[in-house]
Amino acid sequence: MFTDKARIIIQSGKGGDGHVSFRREKFVPAGGPDGGDGGNGGSVIFQVDKGLNTLGDFRHRGRYAAENGEDGKKKNMHGRDGQDLVIKVPEGTVVREAESGKVIVDMSGKTQRYVVLKGGHGGNGNQHFATPTMQAPKYAQPGQPSVSLEVILELKVIADVGLVGYPNVGKSTLLSMVSNAKPRIANYHFTTLQPILGVVDLDGANGFVMADIPGLIEGAADGAGLGHEFLQHIERCKILIHVVDAAGSEDRDPVEDIEKINHELDRYSIDLTKKKQLIAANKTDLIPAEIRGTDEDPVERIRKAYEPKGYRVFEISAVTGKGVKELMYAVSEELSKLPKDEIVYAQEFNPETDLTNLGDEPFSVFYDEENEMYAVEGPRIEKMLGYTNLDTEKGLAFLQRFMEDNGINDKLKELGCKEGDIVRLYGHTFEYFEG
C-alpha cells in the first residue's frame, strides 16, 4: 500500500524526581542531606534512514514515547537517564505540528537527525538546597514533566526531475529505459502507487535523479483519485518532464491533457512559472504515418500550442527509444543552469518556544515559608517547563517573556519579592531581578 502521510503522537520522557534523604550513619548523629538527583528523561529524535521509502510502518502504531528518567536515591545516588526514542523516517519526510500544520523539521539536505522533543530534566536532590540558614532542606526538585505532541509526517520525494502526466502515458516505461529503476509496468491505470526513483547516468554530462510520480487525473487538486498524495511529491523537483500520449491511444486529446494536468498543478500551488517543464510527446510510434506532417499531426499541434509559451517539446517513443537520449541530455543541460541547493522547507514551529493549548490552566504564586523562597507552580507552569529547554539562551529568553506576559513578575512584587530573592519554578531556582 502507498503510504506517504501519517499522524502520530510523540512523547518525551519525564525527568526523574530528586530525592529527599539524610545521612544516617553510626557516630554521625546529624548527617547532612544526601538526596540524589533524578535522571533526565529520554528525548524524541527523528533520524533519516536511507533504506526506507514509505511511511507504511506508521500505519500500525499511533503513539511513540521515550523512556522516563529514574528518580534519585539516597546516598547521593543519581537516577538513571531515560533512553532516547529514535524514530527512523525516509529522507524527505516533513514533520508538521498537527493542529497548525506548521513545519517543525524537514528531514532532508543537511538535516539527517533532529531532536523534536527534548526529555525533561531530572530534578535536583535535597543536597543542593542546603544553606547556612537551612542545613536540613526537606525539599527536592521534581523532574520536568514529559511533553506530548501530535505531529503529521509527510513524505515529499527528493528528486531533481519528476515525470508527470496522466496514468498510462508511458512514464514508468521511460524511467525503466533510462535508469536503474525497475517500476512495475502494465497497461492499466494507477500501476504506480508510490513514487519510484531512478538514477540517470549520462556519458559526458551530469547525471540526475528522476522520479516517476504516480499518474494524475483531472480533479487531483481536490483530492480526486490519490491527488493530494501524489501532487506533494512534485514540490521538490527542479524540473518536470510532462509525458503525454501523443498518439491519443486512450481517445484523449494530447493538447488538452497537458492543459488539464498543468491546471491541477497550478491549483495545488505548484508555481509552474518557476519550475522548468519539458514536454515529452510519447508513443509517437503509434501515430499513423499518413497524418505525420499534416495539420492533424498531434506532435505539431503540441509544438504550436506550447513552444510559443517557452516549453521545449521532444518527440519520443519510450518503447523504441526514439528521441529519449536527446531528452535526457536536454534535461541535464537545464539542470546545470539551476542552483545546486535542494528545496528544504524552513521551520515554522519550534516545540521549545511555540507553546500551544496552555489556555487558562491555573497557576499560583506564593511564598514558601518552610524553604524561605518564592514559588510559582501549577499546570500552566509545568506544561511550559516541559516545552522549554532552560539550558539555552533562547529558552531563558522565552521564560522571561512568559513570566512577564502572564503577570507573574507583578504577583511576585505584590508579595514583596526583591532583587536577589530566590524564586522556584518546580525543578528550577532563580535569583529574582528587576528588568
Side-chain angles (χ1 to χ4, degrees):
M1 176 172 177
F2 173 69
T3 305
D4 69 348
K5 184 176 287 189
R7 181 184 288 259
I8 62 173
I9 296 172
I10 56 176
Q11 181 175 319
S12 62
K14 176 190 178 300
D17 294 338
H19 190 69
V20 176
S21 60
F22 300 90
R23 290 174 59 195
R24 292 293 181 264
E25 299 176 23
K26 195 174 183 180
F27 308 119
V28 186
D34 69 351
D37 302 340
N40 295 328
S43 298
V44 179
I45 302 168
F46 281 79
Q47 180 173 307
V48 168
D49 184 339
K50 294 184 183 291
L52 297 176
N53 55 20
T54 78
L55 297 173
D57 292 345
F58 297 96
R59 288 189 294 119
H60 308 294
R61 182 177 167 193
R63 181 178 289 272
Y64 295 78
E67 190 178 25
N68 293 334
E70 188 179 42
D71 293 344
K73 300 178 177 62
K74 59 185 179 180
K75 297 184 179 179
N76 299 326
M77 291 181 64
H78 195 291
R80 183 175 59 84
D81 290 343
Q83 189 171 355
D84 293 336
L85 173 67
V86 178
I87 300 177
K88 295 184 178 181
V89 294
E91 189 166 20
T93 299
V94 178
V95 183
R96 298 180 182 272
E97 195 273 326
E99 184 176 353
S100 66
K102 292 182 177 179
V103 174
I104 297 174
V105 62
D106 182 351
M107 301 300 296
S108 58
K110 296 180 180 178
T111 305
Q112 300 289 297
R113 183 180 173 92
Y114 188 83
V115 179
V116 174
L117 290 181
K118 190 171 179 63
H121 287 280
N124 287 332
N126 68 330
Q127 59 175 307
H128 295 278
F129 299 97
T131 67
T133 57
M134 184 174 60
Q135 298 183 11
K138 298 178 182 179
Y139 170 79
Q141 293 177 328
Q144 279 191 334
S146 62
V147 178
S148 293
L149 188 65
E150 187 172 21
V151 297
I152 294 172
L153 310 181
E154 288 182 346
L155 176 58
K156 295 178 185 285
V157 166
I158 298 177
D160 302 304
V161 181
L163 297 171
V164 301
Y166 268 88
N168 202 29
V169 294
K171 299 189 303 296
S172 296
T173 303
L174 177 59
L175 183 64
S176 68
M177 285 282 290
V178 301
S179 76
N180 57 352
K182 301 299 178 188
R184 187 174 60 173
I185 300 170
N187 190 29
Y188 53 88
H189 291 178
F190 293 110
T191 306
T192 305
L193 289 181
Q194 66 186 52
I196 297 173
L197 274 65
V199 178
V200 180
D201 292 317
L202 299 172
D203 291 334
N206 292 327
F208 50 86
V209 177
M210 189 161 70
D212 175 10
I213 306 296
L216 299 177
I217 61 174
E218 200 171 353
D222 295 321
L226 299 176
H228 284 164
E229 287 83 349
F230 294 162
L231 281 162
Q232 70 183 32
H233 292 294
I234 300 170
E235 293 182 52
R236 288 195 200 266
C237 298
K238 296 177 182 177
I239 290 180
L240 302 181
I241 299 178
H242 196 143
V243 184
V244 62
D245 179 358
S249 58
E250 296 196 345
D251 296 323
R252 291 195 312 269
D253 180 84
V255 175
E256 292 181 3
D257 276 6
I258 298 171
E259 182 180 348
K260 288 175 180 177
I261 293 298
N262 281 351
H263 179 63
E264 295 302 321
L265 297 177
D266 182 62
R267 292 179 60 218
Y268 190 71
S269 300
I270 295 174
D271 191 346
L272 295 178
T273 63
K274 295 181 179 178
K275 202 177 288 289
K276 187 72 177 180
Q277 185 176 152
L278 285 66
I279 295 175
N282 192 27
K283 300 191 180 183
T284 54
D285 55 305
L286 301 180
I287 300 174
E290 59 268 21
I291 68 170
R292 296 309 307 264
T294 70
D295 291 341
E296 296 180 22
D297 186 339
V299 177
E300 293 307 313
R301 290 180 55 233
I302 293 170
R303 292 188 193 281
K304 288 179 182 178
Y306 287 96
E307 283 185 343
K309 299 177 181 179
Y311 292 81
R312 296 176 66 181
V313 179
F314 293 82
E315 180 179 336
I316 73 165
S317 170
V319 171
T320 68
K322 174 187 174 183
V324 170
K325 183 177 180 180
E326 291 79 4
L327 173 62
M328 294 300 105
Y329 275 93
V331 169
S332 178
E333 177 190 350
E334 294 293 346
L335 281 171
S336 68
K337 301 174 185 176
L338 300 176
K340 303 297 182 186
D341 297 339
E342 293 180 1
I343 298 173
V344 178
Y345 294 88
Q347 185 179 56
E348 301 169 325
F349 183 96
N350 185 346
E352 186 176 317
T353 55
D354 296 334
L355 304 186
T356 58
N357 296 327
L358 286 179
D360 296 324
E361 293 192 51
F363 67 92
S364 58
V365 182
F366 60 94
Y367 183 71
D368 181 352
E369 294 186 1
E370 182 178 358
N371 292 297
E372 298 181 342
M373 64 178 67
Y374 294 87
V376 185
E377 296 180 356
R380 192 185 307 190
I381 308 303
E382 189 173 18
K383 201 167 192 178
M384 177 272 294
L385 290 173
Y387 275 94
T388 309
N389 180 6
L390 298 183
D391 289 340
T392 67
E393 185 176 341
K394 183 187 289 186
L396 286 171
F398 176 80
L399 172 64
Q400 291 172 358
R401 292 197 306 273
F402 178 86
M403 293 183 68
E404 189 65 38
D405 294 345
N406 285 271
I408 294 172
N409 289 338
D410 292 337
K411 287 184 169 60
L412 287 170
K413 289 179 183 178
E414 291 174 8
L415 291 171
C417 188
K418 303 182 300 297
E419 192 152 332
D421 288 346
I422 301 299
V423 178
R424 184 182 78 233
L425 279 77
Y426 281 101
H428 302 274
T429 54
F430 304 92
E431 281 193 22
Y432 179 77
F433 72 93
E434 297 182 6

